[in-house]
Amino acid sequence: MPRRDLREKVYLSLRRDLVSGAIPATERLGEERLAELYGVSRTPVREALARLLADGLVMRGDDGLYPYRPHVGDLADLYELRTTLEMQGIARVAAGSVPHDPHMLGPVVEQWKRLRTTPPEPDVDFVTQDELFHVTLLRSAGNRALADALETVNARIRPVRMFGYVARDSVVDTIDEHIAIGEAVLAGKFDASRALLSSHIDLSQNVVIDRATQALSMARFALSVQN
């Protein structure tokens, strides 16, 4: 494989594993271990880590590189960026650029309706499903770059969000909100969908920042956030 293609493959593989949470937030990103994991030399791993450091998905610790963990003060900025990205998806459709793709979004809305009948447990898998809804909603607006950017933002918030769902009521509320947002978008009710989406993200932000603040004094959560 050409060296350039190998570098890109390692970068995309490592980025995927960081974004998906396959690599724990507390794991040091050692070049030797990662090279063994991906079956390559240390050079493309080193180059991938440098790119991911610039992307904001990797941070420098006292003894090496680690997956990014947000500072409490970063969370509001990250949520502002998340809101901007998601609202832009609705804005470009409302402006008449393209319609939301019903073949992409429709099945996801139906999936959330099924979840309403038997709500899942409030665990890390539900956070992953929640993120997928929002990425699909944005991707269905026809701009893949916006959706890719949202995935990066999600990855940076995820260490704290994993602790955001502590009660079944939170899960049910999220399901209802996703269904309402999806149906409004598919019906072309853009003012309503903007209002619903904005309220939904604001609520998530409030929960996450509250959890992050608690994390500073609770041993179980302390690994998910920085002061």
Side-chain angles (χ1 to χ4, degrees), residues 6 23 33 43 62 84 93 97 104 112 120 124 161 163 175-176 178-179 187 206 220 226-227:
L6 180 61
I23 297 177
R33 194 195 72 79
T43 299
D62 293 336
T84 299
V93 174
S97 301
M104 185 181 298
W112 283 86
V124 296
R161 286 203 68 223
F163 301 107
I175 292 172
D176 288 341
H178 283 183
I179 293 170
N206 292 338
R220 180 187 172 202
Q226 303 181 83
N227 198 346

Side-chain angles (χ1 to χ4, degrees), residues 131-146:
E131 291 178 358
L132 181 60
F133 170 84
H134 288 275
V135 170
T136 304
L137 175 64
L138 187 50
R139 186 164 285 132
S140 72
N143 188 323
R144 187 177 184 86
L146 288 174

Side-chain angles (χ1 to χ4, degrees), residues 19-212:
V19 167
S20 69
I23 297 177
T26 55
E27 182 173 319
R28 188 173 74 85
L29 301 171
E31 291 179 10
E32 186 173 348
R33 194 195 72 79
L34 291 173
E36 182 179 351
L37 177 65
Y38 298 120
V40 297
S41 69
R42 293 172 63 174
T43 299
V45 169
R46 186 180 305 118
E47 293 173 350
L49 287 170
R51 290 177 64 182
L52 290 162
L53 185 64
D55 291 344
L57 291 178
V58 166
M59 67 180 193
R60 193 176 300 281
D62 293 336
D63 60 342
L65 299 176
Y66 288 84
Y68 174 80
R69 288 183 291 136
H71 291 273
V72 174
D74 293 342
L75 291 171
D77 290 344
L78 288 169
Y79 265 91
E80 182 179 358
L81 178 54
R82 177 186 166 186
T83 300
T84 299
L85 291 169
E86 295 203 48
M87 288 299 185
Q88 181 58 32
I90 296 176
R92 71 190 305 272
V93 174
S97 301
V98 290
H100 281 91
D101 184 347
H103 301 293
M104 185 181 298
L105 183 58
V108 174
V109 174
E110 292 303 313
Q111 175 192 353
W112 283 86
K113 289 179 179 179
R114 291 192 294 272
L115 288 177
R116 185 64 176 84
T117 305
T118 54
E121 293 299 314
D123 57 18
V124 296
D125 289 337
F126 187 73
V127 174
T128 301
Q129 291 181 71
D130 175 86
E131 291 178 358
L132 181 60
F133 170 84
H134 288 275
V135 170
T136 304
L137 175 64
L138 187 50
R139 186 164 285 132
S140 72
N143 188 323
R144 187 177 184 86
L146 288 174
D148 289 346
L150 179 60
E151 287 186 326
T152 298
V153 173
N154 284 340
R156 298 180 70 184
I157 299 171
R158 186 180 300 122
V160 186
R161 286 203 68 223
M162 289 298 185
F163 301 107
Y165 292 96
V166 294
R168 183 167 290 276
D169 288 350
S170 299
V171 170
V172 172
D173 288 345
T174 297
I175 292 172
D176 288 341
E177 290 162 13
H178 283 183
I179 293 170
I181 293 166
E183 289 184 335
V185 167
L186 288 170
K189 298 178 180 178
F190 300 120
D191 289 342
S193 57
R194 284 192 192 96
L196 289 166
L197 183 59
S198 177
S199 175
H200 176 71
I201 296 174
D202 285 348
L203 180 60
S204 176
Q205 175 179 333
N206 292 338
V207 170
V208 165
I209 291 178
D210 180 60
R211 296 293 170 208

